[in-house]
């Protein structure tokens, strides 16, 4: 019953959400046309998931390209922290658009990634073993020019450093980085320079991997998929390999190109989007929680 169900929040990201539908709904003069666009807006991933699981908590859709999926995880964390939800179903999903194959464009893919967040006390009361714990997050906007603001090392680094600060962790305490590795050369170079700016000489010893060279650009799902990867890496003690076609990362960091077994206490996830950057720090749960 809705009155007895716990508050479940749904936050879903997409590179193309309901924005166009809402604008057309607001501009429509005919009631039948308004009803059509309102129905289309309510069929977004966030609304569809909320209806499917009968979620009674906040329901939000985010748009921001690759960064929006990771921002959805951060928003779910904040909703739980503020007491607005007990559980948060958060992530991203996108279907592929037909795009020309060009060297300056990323390989666009499609997919979905979803995480379930809950307060640690709630997890203990349910007797579940968490995969990882959200320690900190931060987002920044790319500075001017506002129209078509491109990724730059300062704003990407600011997001990573702020997330680490909120996690009360130093750069040296990061055991690996799940990089965004965007497909276009300009954004990819900006991320590489941001890693160098954030970690300095330690960047050469920082294990870095990425999903984009393996799956392509998952768009709104990419940040959430990276968060899932970080959680699984912490749980199983394995860093999955990245594509070897990442010369910038290979030159300035310890690019993981083969399956690597290691103990991970903290993993940093970075996502660069259109005008927005989001970073998330995940940590290993306590040993007794791992085996709960």
């Amino acid at each position: 019953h809705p009155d007895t169900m716990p508050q479940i929040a749904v936050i879903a990201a997409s590179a193309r959400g309901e924005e166009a539908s809402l604008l057309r709904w607001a501009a429509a003069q005919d009631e039948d046309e308004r009803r059509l666009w309102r129905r289309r807006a309510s069929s977004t991933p966030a609304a569809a998931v909320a209806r499917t699981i009968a979620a009674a908590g906040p329901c939000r859709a985010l748009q921001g390209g690759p960064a929006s999926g990771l921002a959805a995880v951060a928003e779910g964390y904040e909703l739980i922290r503020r007491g607005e939800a007990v559980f948060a179903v958060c992530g991203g999903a996108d279907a592929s658009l037909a795009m020309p194959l060009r060297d300056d464009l990323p390989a666009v893919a499609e997919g979905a990634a979803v995480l379930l967040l809950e307060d640690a006390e709630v997890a203990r009361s349910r007797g579940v073993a968490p995969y990882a714990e959200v320690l900190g997050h931060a987002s920044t906007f790319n500075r001017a020019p506002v129209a078509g603001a491109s990724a730059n090392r300062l704003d990407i680094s600011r997001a990573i450093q702020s997330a680490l600060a909120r996690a009360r962790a130093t750069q040296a305490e990061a055991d690996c980085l799940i990089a965004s590795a965007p497909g276009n050369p300009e954004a990819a170079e900006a991320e590489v320079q941001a890693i160098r700016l954030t970690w300095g000489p330690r960047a050469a010893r920082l294990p870095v991997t990425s999903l984009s060279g393996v799956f392509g650009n998952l768009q709104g799902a990419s940040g959430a998929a990276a968060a899932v990867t970080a959680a699984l890496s912490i749980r199983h003690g394995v860093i999955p390999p990245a594509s070897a076609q990442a010369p910038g990362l290979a030159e300035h960091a310890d690019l993981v190109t083969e399956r690597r077994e290691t103990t991970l206490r903290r993993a940093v996830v970075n996502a660069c989007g259109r005008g927005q950057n989001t970073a998330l720090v995940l940590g290993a749960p306590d040993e007794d929680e791992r085996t709960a």
Side-chain angles (χ1 to χ4, degrees), residues 181-202:
N184 70 77
E186 181 184 1
E189 176 62 19
E191 184 180 40
V192 170
Q193 294 305 320
I195 293 171
R196 296 182 64 190
L197 179 63
T198 303
W199 275 274
R202 293 192 185 95

Side-chain angles (χ1 to χ4, degrees), residues 1-291:
H1 190 277
D3 293 334
T4 59
M5 286 184 61
Q7 285 284 86
I8 303 175
V10 177
I11 309 98
S14 174
R16 303 172 309 282
E18 80 276 31
E19 180 181 44
S21 294
L22 290 176
L23 290 174
R24 295 188 184 187
W25 171 78
Q29 302 297 321
D30 181 78
E31 181 58 32
D32 289 338
E33 187 179 0
R34 289 172 65 87
R35 192 177 299 113
L36 169 65
W37 289 110
R38 184 167 60 243
R39 190 160 56 243
R40 289 191 179 181
S42 65
S43 65
T44 58
V49 171
R51 286 196 304 271
T52 301
I53 65 175
C59 179
R60 298 176 183 174
L62 303 182
Q63 292 176 274
S68 57
L70 196 58
V73 180
E75 178 65 12
Y77 166 82
E78 288 297 330
L79 288 172
I80 293 174
R81 186 185 66 82
R82 295 194 299 263
E84 298 180 37
V86 177
F87 301 96
V89 178
C90 45
D94 256 313
S96 179
L97 289 174
M99 294 182 67
L101 292 176
R102 288 169 37 187
D103 292 339
D104 60 337
L105 290 177
V108 178
E110 58 186 9
V114 177
L115 297 89
L116 173 64
L117 303 186
E118 60 184 305
D119 184 85
E121 292 297 330
V122 175
R124 293 189 192 99
S125 68
R126 297 198 306 121
V128 299
Y131 282 80
E133 179 182 0
V134 178
L135 301 180
H137 67 86
S139 293
T140 59
F141 290 101
N142 294 328
R143 57 197 67 197
V146 176
S150 58
N152 66 81
R153 67 189 185 103
L154 296 177
D155 295 319
I156 297 173
S157 176
R158 212 155 42 87
I160 298 173
Q161 292 187 56
S162 297
L164 284 167
R166 292 178 178 177
R168 298 183 179 180
T170 66
Q171 286 86 339
E173 291 176 313
D175 295 315
C176 79
L177 170 68
I178 314 295
S180 185
N184 70 77
E186 181 184 1
E189 176 62 19
E191 184 180 40
V192 170
Q193 294 305 320
I195 293 171
R196 296 182 64 190
L197 179 63
T198 303
W199 275 274
R202 293 192 185 95
R205 302 187 299 275
L206 175 69
V208 177
T209 189
S210 173
L211 302 180
S212 61
V214 179
F215 297 112
N217 184 354
L218 294 172
Q219 307 170 82
S222 60
V228 170
T229 301
L232 290 172
S233 295
I234 290 172
R235 163 65 72 88
H236 299 293
V238 175
I239 303 175
S243 168
Q245 303 301 316
L249 289 174
E251 291 172 7
H252 300 291
D254 179 14
L255 184 65
V256 179
T257 56
E258 295 182 355
R259 183 180 187 272
R260 183 180 300 182
E261 296 186 6
T262 183
T263 300
L264 298 174
R265 295 297 302 172
R266 294 176 184 83
V268 179
V269 183
N270 183 57
C272 310
R274 294 188 302 270
Q276 179 186 357
N277 313 292
T278 298
L280 182 80
V281 181
L282 294 182
D286 294 335
E287 190 62 33
D288 57 341
E289 292 179 340
R290 284 175 179 254
T291 57

